Amino acid sequence: MRHRYLSFAAAVAALALTFSVSMKVLSAQNAPNTAPARIDGKPNFNGLWQALTGANWDIQDHSSEPGPYYQLGATFAIPAGQGIVEGNEIPYRPEALEQRKKNRLNRWTADPEIKCYMPGIPRANYMPFPFTIVQGTTTIAFAYEFATSNRVVRMTNHQKAPVPSWMGWSNGRWEGDTLVVEVTGNNDQTWFDRSGNFHSDAMKVTERFTLRNPDVIDYEATIEDPKTFTRPWKISFPLYRRLEKNASQLEFKCVEYTEELIYGHLRKPTN
Amino acid sequence: MKHRFLITAMALLIALAAGSLLVAVPIAAQATTQGAAAAWTPPKTPWGDPDLQGIYTSDDYIGLGMNRAAQYGNRLYFTEEEIAAREKTIATTAQRDAVEFATPGGNVGTGPPGHWGERARRSPRQTSLIVEPENGQTPALTEEGRQRQAMYTRQGAGTARPEDSWEGYTSYIRCITRGIAGSVIPVIYGNGTEIVQGPGYVAILQEMVHEARIVRLDKSPHVGSNIKTYMGDSRGYWDGNTLVIETKNILGNKTGIGGNGGGTPFSEDAKFTERLTRTDKDTIQYTMRVEDPRTYTAPFTFTFPIRREPGYQNFEYACHEGNHGMMNQLSGARADERAAAEAARQNR
Amino acid sequence: MRTRMLLAVIAVFLLVPVSLWAHHAFAAEFDANKPVKLRGTVTKMDWINPHAWIHIEVKGTDGKVTKWMIEAAAPNAMLRRGFNQDSLPIGTEILIEGYMAKDGANRANGSSITYPDGKKLFIGSQGTGAPVEQ
C-alpha cells in the first residue's frame, strides 16, 4: 500500500518537475520577459503612458467656457478642470503677467499647438495623447504621439545644450528610485497650455518620475525662469499606464491639418 | 486497479504535453542560425537582449544610389582599386570643405556651397544599395505603380517649378515625414539613427524628420488594418542576434524609396521587413525588404551598414516650426505670376 | 594661386551636384537676376530646419537701418562640424553675397557668408570644439 503511494507521489513529483522545466523553457522562448520589475537595479518605466488631467486646456483651476466656434457647440467647448499647479498660483513678473493676459485673449490664434508645433517640456507630458517611454540604461527615449515629438534623456556623458530647441535638452540621473531629468536649452516658443501660460528661453525644467505602482507614475516638474517668474513653481499629476487590450502608440502627424491655416493666403488664385 | 490506471493515463498525458513543449525548443534554435551570420557576438542588455544601442550614421553611403550602374552587372562589391579611387575623392573633398577663406570675387549662385552637406568618411563597399534582385536594380513597376509614379512626377518634386499650393510638394518639403524607407536611406545630410532599447521595446529615432518609431517585441499583434499611419505599425522579434521588424498599415500614395521618401509612392498594402545585426562594436548592418505587389512586380531588398562615428550625434530637426522655404517658394511663385501679369498688361 | 582657389571653389560645386539640392528649390525662392551684397550685424539666429536663418541689421550709407533675413546651412550638419550658438554671437559682423528673394522682401540666400576678414562661416569649429563622443 505504502509502496504504491510512494511510487505515485514520485511519479507526480517527476511529472511536476518536467512540467515546470518545460514551462520555463516555453515561457523563455514564446513569451520573453518583457516587463521585469527592475532594469539594472532601477524601476522599469517602459510602456505607454498618458495623463488624465485637463491641464492642456489650462494648467490652473478653471471653469467651463465656450469654444472658438458656436457652430461646434458643446463638442469643442472647454470643460472645467482642476489645475496641476501646486498652490494654483503661477508667480508671473508683472510685465510677464500682462503678456500672459494678451496670450489668453489670443489663445485661438497664438497657441503654438494649433499649428502642430512641438509642445516642449513639460506640456508634452500632459497633452491628451499617449506617449511611450523606452528605458535603457544609458538613454531613455520619450516618444510622444502629438506631432511625433520626442526627446532622449541622456543618463551619462551630460553635455550643455548647444542651441535652443523646441523639446529642450534632457540630462537625467537617478535619485534612489526617482528618475530626475533636467531640461535646458528650451526656446521661448512653446506654451504651457491653451490658455496662454508661457515662458522665456531661460526656462529650466526639473522633472521627477516616481513609480507609485507598476501602472502609475507620480510626475512632478519644477519650473525655473527668472526672466518670467519671480520664483520657481511646481506642477504635479499622475501618469497612467494605458491598459486597453493591445494599447499601442499610434501617430498624430498634424502638419497637414495646419497648412491651409499657415499657407492658405499664398495659394494660387483661381481667377 | 481502476484508480491506478487513471493516474497512469493522466501522467502519460501530462508527460506527452510537456514532451511536446520540449520538442518545440530545438526547432526554434535551428531558425536562429539562418540570420545574418555574425562571427562577433554583441554584448547583451541587462535583460538579456542583444545590445544594438547607439547613434549611427549612413554617411558613408551618401550618393551611392539604390540602383547599380549598368557597368557593374551582377557584381555587388567594389574592387580594392575602385575603393582606393573613391577614398582619394573623399580626401580631396574633405580638403576643399576645409578651405577657410573665400575667394574674393568667387562664383556665387542661388545654390549653396558644397561644405554645407555632410560627407562619407570612407568609401562604400557595395556597388548599390539594392542587393535583391541580383542585378541591383529596382524591379519594374506594375500598371498601378506606373500610375502612382505619374502622379508623383506631376507634383514636380526635385524641380524648381513654381507650385499652385503646398500640396504640390513632397511630404519631406512639407516637413511631414520621409516615410519608413525614406527616413533611413542616406542623403546629403541628416543621416543619423539612434537606437534605444528597453525590455520589450526598441525605439528607432531618425533625425529627419524627428521620427521615433516604436517597435514592440512582446509578440502583440499589429493594430487593426483601418489604422494607417505614415510610418506604419511595427512589431519585432529576435532571430539570434538579429532584430527583425515587420511593418505594415502604412498610408498609401504618400512616400516611396526615392531620396527623402520621394519616388513612386508605396500602396497601403506594402509590407516591410527590416533586419538589424550588429557586426562589430561600431557597426550595424541594416537591411530592408519591400513587398508591395501592387506597385512593384517583385519584392526587393536594400542594405547598408550604419556606423557610430566619434562626436556624431543627432540634434532636434524642428522643420515645420520654421518652414520658411515653403512660405518663400509659394510667395516667390505668386510674385512671378504677378510680374508676368503686369508685363502682359503693359504690353497690351 | 588665386586661379587655383577659384578652380577649387568651382570644383566644390561640381562635387555636390546642384540637382541634389534642387529639392530645396533655392531658385524658386531667390531671383538669379537680383544679386545682392550685404554687410550687417547679427541680431538673432533661427536654429530651424531645413535651413537656419540669420537675422541681420544692415546700416545704409544714409544711416538708415534695415532688417534682413539670410538663409543659411542646415543647422544639424553645422552642429556636427562644431559650429553652435556660441560661434555666432549677437553683434557679430558678417558679409553676405547672394541673391534676393523673388517676392521682394528683405530676404537673401547666403551662398557666401564670411566674417569681415574673409573667413567663411560654418566651415568648422570656431574654437568651441566638436560635440563630445557618447
Side-chain angles (χ1 to χ4, degrees), chain B residues 100 109 118 207 313 318 331, chain C residues 49 80 102-103 111 119-120:
Chain B
E100 289 199 344
E118 296 194 89
E207 187 171 89
Q313 57 182 304
S331 176
Chain C
N49 289 283
R80 283 189 277 274
K102 274 190 174 180
D103 63 7
S111 306
K119 201 169 163 92
K120 281 190 207 161

Side-chain angles (χ1 to χ4, degrees), chain A residues 259 263 266, chain B residues 165-166 169-170 173-174 323-331, chain C residues 29:
Chain A
E259 286 169 317
Y263 310 119
L266 293 170
Chain B
S165 88
W166 53 94
Y169 290 92
T170 63
I173 299 297
R174 291 162 73 180
N323 196 359
H324 298 282
M326 173 66 74
M327 195 83 81
N328 298 342
Q329 284 175 63
L330 294 175
S331 176
Chain C
E29 285 182 70

